[in-house]
Structure formats: C-alpha cells, structure tokens
Amino acid sequence: MVNSDDGAATSQRSHSDAVHKWVATVAGVAALAFSLYNFTELQKKPEIELALPHLMRIGMMGKDAHFYVQPTVSTRVKTQDVEVIRDARFELTPAASVAYSKRPIFYWKEVGVWNFDPASEWLSYRWSGDPAPFLVSQDKPQQPIFLFQADNWSFEPGRYEGSLQLSRAGTRNPLIKTFCILLSKKAADEIRGGAGEGGIYFFRNDLPKFASSGKNLGCYVRETD
C-alpha cells in the first residue's frame, strides 16, 4: 500500500519539475529570440543622420567665393557595419531678385580646422586634409569642416537657396539638407571688402532678434544686419 503523504510528495515534485522545465524552456526561447534580434540589428546598415550647424562661415579669397560648413554626421543605432561617405556637394542658387543671378558652381576643395587666438580674439582657418571618403559609425560620429569654393564668383545682396548633399557607398540614397541665406547689401559689401585679406564672416540661423520678430526665420543671416 502506498502512503498518501508519499503520493502527494511525489505528485508535488513532478509538478515542480514540470514547472522548472517549462520556465527553463521559455527562458531558452527568449534568450534565443533576443540573440537573433541582436544579431539581426547588428547586421543592419547604420541609419545615418545629417544635421546642419546653426552657424556657417562665408568669405572670399581673391576672386573665389568660400563656404565653410561643419555638419554633424552620426547614427544612433549600433551596428557592426559602418557607413562610408564618398563625396560632398554644395549648391547655392540665387533668387530671381538677385541682380547678379549667375549660379555659382561650388566644389569640395578640402577639409580644415579652426584656430582661435585668445589674445587677439581672432579665428583663423588652416588645411587639415584633402577631400576624401570618411567613415561614420555609432562610436565615431563625424563633424568635418568642409571648404567649398566657387571660382570667379562673388556675392550679391539677396536671398539664396542652398543644399548640402553627402553621397554614400553603394546604391543608398544621398543625405541632403536644404537651407536659405539672406545676404544684405552691408554683408555682401563686407565679404567682398575682405577678399584681399581672406576675411571670414559668420552667418547664423538662430539669432534671437530675428526669431522673436519672425523676420528671416530659419535663414542664415549676418548678425550685424
């Protein structure tokens, strides 16, 4: 004869073993699914984002127009792959109201760095590299200082529509950001006047005095306007 207490204990152990096996199975399946998800995510191409700065610098060197642009190129997704930026293009189109309506042809001349002299409070630019492809990954965002040049072209007052385009490796669509610049007569004269010394002048799209009034909202404007 089997003792009822022994039978109950055996039944309880069997139930406990079944629960443990079920929990272990569920945990194993969850771990496998999580591993597969991580593997899939790591194999994905990184989703690259392009953001324009609040400040652009404009100048002239002799008869050539210069644009200095320092965008942020980054990805928030961790992957094993990296993105290759192959080329950078800069376009600027004068509005119909601009007297000198010839469209400039800019090309990526080089990348550089800024040097600031605290004593004189003077900012200068120097070359740091030739135009060449660069890599972008989650742990290596990029903020290159592009120098774009248009030969034999000068600035006239008016509105300009611009775009920065970064070409990617393979057949992926390029990254494109558009913007506008409002150039007053005072600013245009200032830029042309500094051509001999290679003067560089900054334009911003977040100046409070323009944002509060709604004037020139979103466009890059010279602070002294």
Side-chain angles (χ1 to χ4, degrees):
M1 172 182 270
V2 178
N3 187 290
S4 60
D5 291 339
D6 292 340
T10 300
S11 177
Q12 187 174 1
R13 283 195 301 271
S14 298
H15 177 72
S16 178
D17 291 342
V19 171
H20 284 307
K21 289 180 181 179
W22 181 82
V23 171
T25 301
V26 171
V29 171
L32 177 61
F34 185 71
S35 297
L36 290 174
Y37 172 80
N38 283 338
F39 177 78
T40 302
E41 290 297 307
L42 288 173
Q43 299 309 306
K44 285 184 177 179
K45 286 284 186 181
E47 292 298 324
I48 301 297
E49 296 179 354
L50 169 62
L52 293 178
H54 287 302
L55 187 151
M56 289 190 185
R57 292 180 171 87
I58 303 174
M60 290 194 68
M61 181 65 72
K63 295 182 179 181
D64 304 327
H66 283 179
F67 253 89
Y68 305 84
V69 186
Q70 187 177 10
T72 299
V73 191
S74 61
T75 177
R76 292 174 293 174
V77 179
K78 185 175 183 179
T79 66
Q80 290 181 337
D81 206 351
V82 296
E83 184 66 275
V84 179
I85 302 300
R86 296 187 296 111
D87 193 19
R89 295 184 180 182
F90 183 86
E91 294 185 354
L92 200 65
T93 303
S97 59
V98 177
Y100 180 64
S101 58
K102 177 184 175 183
R103 185 167 176 261
I105 305 300
F106 281 91
Y107 61 93
W108 180 14
K109 184 177 182 180
E110 61 193 39
V111 291
V113 295
W114 296 109
N115 294 318
F116 180 70
D117 183 356
S120 61
E121 295 187 351
W122 181 259
L123 187 70
S124 62
Y125 166 88
R126 67 176 175 85
W127 173 95
S128 68
D130 296 327
F134 58 91
L135 303 178
V136 181
S137 62
Q138 187 190 39
D139 59 352
K140 193 178 182 181
Q142 299 286 352
Q143 286 186 309
I145 299 174
F146 294 114
L147 169 55
F148 297 99
Q149 177 171 308
D151 297 335
N152 300 311
W153 187 84
S154 63
F155 296 93
E156 293 291 336
R159 180 187 175 101
Y160 295 81
E161 302 295 334
S163 69
L164 175 64
Q165 176 177 308
L166 301 183
S167 300
R168 298 188 279 181
T171 59
R172 306 194 75 192
N173 292 330
L175 303 170
I176 301 175
K177 284 292 182 180
T178 60
F179 58 92
C180 57
I181 294 177
L182 296 177
L183 202 66
S184 66
K185 183 179 184 304
K186 178 181 177 182
D189 290 343
E190 185 180 28
I191 294 172
R192 290 195 297 265
E197 297 79 27
I200 300 172
Y201 308 92
F202 68 82
F203 288 68
R204 299 193 64 112
N205 67 354
D206 61 346
L207 293 171
K209 65 179 180 180
F210 295 127
S212 60
S213 64
K215 181 182 178 182
N216 305 335
L217 188 62
C219 288
Y220 289 88
V221 185
R222 182 79 171 121
E223 185 180 28
T224 53
D225 286 351

